[in-house]
């Protein structure tokens, strides 16, 4: 809500001929984001307050009582004060977002979230109540993106909420969101960022169930305890989306090990090792991700890995001779 207020200036009789001029100047002030103050004759309060364009912009006109009506109107200076969205309006949008989230209306929830994000552009940077509304809206937005499977939107919302967490320190859903972000980093195998996020956690946050879950998963992955990774019990249904995606990461790691450890393997053994429920699922995986594997009857044949450089390929004697030559030259110079 943009608040306008007036301060008295030199007296000047005002007639209806000034109405259009006043309206033009007022709109100019609103549209010009660099102009913060402009002087013009005050028109009757009811006329300004009832302008349709001002109502559409959700503007509150605040004019001193003695200047609103009557013959003693003065030429006033109108200033544009910091534009702030009414908490009542944003709270109603937030309640609408909560209702749609609880009802499982992902599409409707994302539409409401878009309206809230537009309103957030007008939030003052130092108002804690506005920050709490913005944080709660983004937290619900993150949960909606998980339910929708939209990882790009998930990453954007997480990036937007981090500055708010730095100021607010804690919210009811903060640890939940931090845990989901860690799961996303783990699924995408961005381990350096995963550990960087861990360094930013407080002791209390690091001990939270939502945060310890991805930490324990990462430890199991590092030591190769894949059976425990794939049979975990999630702390909240929203984590199941990432656990399902983590299964693909685990299968890729197993496949990388299998193809360099064996020349061939029975399909039934590969199904067991890679946690496939049917042969059809395994063959689909091979077709999509391992097109260099050869299927012969009930056996998988793996291509030999490309041979790397051998120790004999390194020109060691030549390098030693060059190093001794450089040392001799340096000694002569000194």
């Amino acid at each position: 809500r943009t608040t306008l207020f007036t301060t008295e200036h030199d007296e000047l009789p005002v007639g209806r001929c000034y109405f259009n001029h006043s309206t033009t100047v007022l709109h100019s002030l609103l549209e010009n984001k660099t102009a913060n103050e402009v002087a013009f004759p005050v028109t009757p309060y009811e006329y300004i307050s009832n302008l349709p364009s001002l109502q559409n912009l959700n503007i509150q006109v605040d004019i001193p009582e003695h200047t609103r009506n009557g013959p003693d109107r003065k030429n006033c200076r109108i200033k544009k004060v910091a534009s702030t969205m009414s908490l009542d309006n944003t709270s109603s949008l937030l309640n609408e977002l909560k209702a749609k989230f609880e009802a499982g209306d992902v599409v409707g929830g994302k539409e409401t979230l878009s309206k809230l994000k537009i309103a957030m552009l007008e939030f003052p940077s130092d108002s804690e109540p506005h920050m709490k509304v913005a944080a709660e809206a983004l937290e619900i937005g993150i949960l909606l993106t998980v339910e929708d499977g939209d990882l790009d939107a998930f990453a954007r919302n997480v990036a937007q909420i981090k500055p708010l967490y730095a100021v607010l320190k804690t919210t009811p859903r903060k640890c939940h969101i931090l845990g989901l972000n860690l799961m996303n980093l783990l699924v995408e195998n961005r381990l350096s960022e995963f550990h960087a996020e861990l360094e930013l956690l407080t002791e209390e946050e690091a001990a939270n169930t939502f945060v310890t879950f991805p930490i324990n998963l990462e430890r199991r992955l590092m030591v190769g305890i894949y059976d425990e990774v794939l049979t975990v019990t999630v702390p909240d249904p929203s984590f199941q989306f990432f656990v399902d995606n983590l299964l693909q990461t685990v299968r890729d790691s197993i496949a990388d090990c299998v193809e360099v450890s064996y020349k061939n393997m029975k399909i039934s053994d590969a199904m067991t090792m890679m946690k496939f429920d049917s042969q059809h699922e395994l063959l689909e995986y091979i077709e999509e991700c391992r097109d260099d594997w050869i299927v012969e009857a009930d056996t998988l044949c793996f291509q030999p890995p490309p041979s790397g450089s051998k120790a004999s390929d390194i020109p060691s004697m030549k390098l030693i001779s060059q190093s001794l030559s450089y040392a001799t030259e340096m000694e002569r110079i000194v």
Side-chain angles (χ1 to χ4, degrees):
R1 182 181 290 271
T2 301
T3 302
L4 303 176
F5 68 93
T6 64
T7 57
E8 295 183 6
H9 196 52
D10 298 330
E11 285 193 21
L12 184 68
V14 178
R16 192 171 181 83
C17 61
Y18 284 101
F19 285 6
N20 292 336
H21 168 70
S22 303
T23 305
T24 303
V25 175
L26 181 57
H27 283 301
S28 175
L29 172 67
L30 294 172
E31 293 171 0
N32 187 352
K33 297 185 181 302
T34 61
N36 294 316
E37 183 174 322
V38 66
F40 73 95
V42 174
T43 60
Y45 176 72
E46 291 80 4
Y47 177 79
I48 296 179
S49 302
N50 294 323
L51 283 175
S53 54
L54 300 189
Q55 292 174 351
N56 292 337
L57 291 172
N58 194 27
I59 292 171
Q60 173 187 355
V61 181
D62 185 13
I63 302 177
E65 184 70 30
H66 70 279
T67 64
R68 292 185 180 181
N69 292 299
D72 191 27
R73 292 191 292 267
K74 301 175 180 296
N75 185 31
C76 295
R77 187 173 297 275
I78 287 186
K79 295 182 180 179
K80 184 165 61 175
V81 184
S83 179
T84 58
M85 185 72 172
S86 169
L87 271 180
D88 293 337
N89 294 339
T90 52
S91 297
S92 63
L93 281 174
L94 181 58
N95 291 333
E96 181 183 339
L97 178 62
K98 290 179 183 177
K100 290 182 177 179
F101 171 67
E102 292 171 359
D105 184 2
V106 177
V107 176
K110 293 174 76 172
E111 290 176 356
T112 305
L113 179 63
S114 298
K115 296 177 183 177
L116 266 169
K117 285 186 176 182
I118 294 173
M120 289 178 200
L121 298 174
E122 300 294 332
F123 281 7
S125 58
D126 56 350
S127 172
E128 185 171 333
H130 285 84
M131 290 184 188
K132 288 181 178 179
V133 170
E136 188 172 3
L138 289 171
E139 286 171 344
I140 296 175
I142 289 171
L143 296 176
L144 283 173
T145 57
V146 172
E147 192 170 340
D148 193 34
D150 189 348
L151 290 180
D152 291 334
F154 174 88
R156 288 194 300 270
N157 288 332
V158 169
Q160 290 168 358
I161 205 171
K162 282 184 177 180
L164 296 174
Y165 280 162
V167 177
L168 296 175
K169 303 303 180 184
T170 185
T171 67
R173 288 192 178 96
K174 181 178 180 180
C175 290
H176 189 175
I177 300 303
L178 292 177
L180 290 175
N181 185 42
L182 290 173
M183 286 296 298
N184 182 46
L185 296 175
L186 191 60
V187 168
E188 295 184 354
N189 207 27
R190 293 154 59 185
L191 297 182
S192 58
E193 295 177 51
F194 179 91
H195 289 283
E197 290 292 330
L198 294 183
E199 295 296 325
L200 301 176
L201 299 174
T202 64
E203 291 184 7
E204 183 179 355
E205 291 169 349
N208 186 277
T209 304
F210 292 124
V211 177
T212 56
F213 179 75
I215 293 175
N216 292 332
L217 272 184
E218 190 266 345
R219 290 172 180 169
R220 292 168 185 169
L221 284 172
M222 290 302 100
V223 297
I225 312 178
Y226 296 131
D227 287 335
E228 293 185 12
V229 172
L230 300 178
T231 57
V232 293
T233 302
V234 295
D236 185 84
S238 58
F239 282 77
Q240 191 61 48
F241 169 73
F242 293 104
V243 171
D244 293 341
N245 286 341
L246 192 61
L247 175 59
Q248 181 67 24
T249 304
V250 169
R251 283 174 175 161
D252 289 340
S253 298
I254 295 174
D256 290 339
C257 296
V258 165
E259 65 183 7
V260 298
S261 302
Y262 299 91
K263 291 183 178 179
N264 53 67
M265 176 181 287
K266 288 187 176 180
I267 290 181
S268 58
D269 294 337
M271 285 171 51
T272 302
M273 190 173 292
M274 299 180 67
K275 315 300 178 186
F276 284 108
D277 296 328
S278 66
Q279 180 175 331
H280 178 69
E281 291 180 356
L282 173 60
L283 295 178
E284 280 188 347
Y285 174 80
I286 294 172
E287 184 178 352
E288 293 176 5
C289 306
R290 304 284 166 170
D291 55 1
D292 57 335
W293 290 7
I294 301 172
V295 180
E296 294 181 350
D298 62 344
T299 304
L300 288 177
C301 299
F302 308 110
Q303 300 287 346
S307 58
S309 300
K310 300 178 181 179
S312 57
D313 297 331
I314 302 174
S316 54
M317 296 305 297
K318 182 178 179 182
L319 294 175
I320 291 172
S321 176
Q322 286 180 349
S323 298
L324 291 175
S325 175
Y326 294 153
T328 302
E329 295 296 328
M330 289 294 296
E331 185 177 0
R332 288 176 182 175
I333 293 173
V334 174

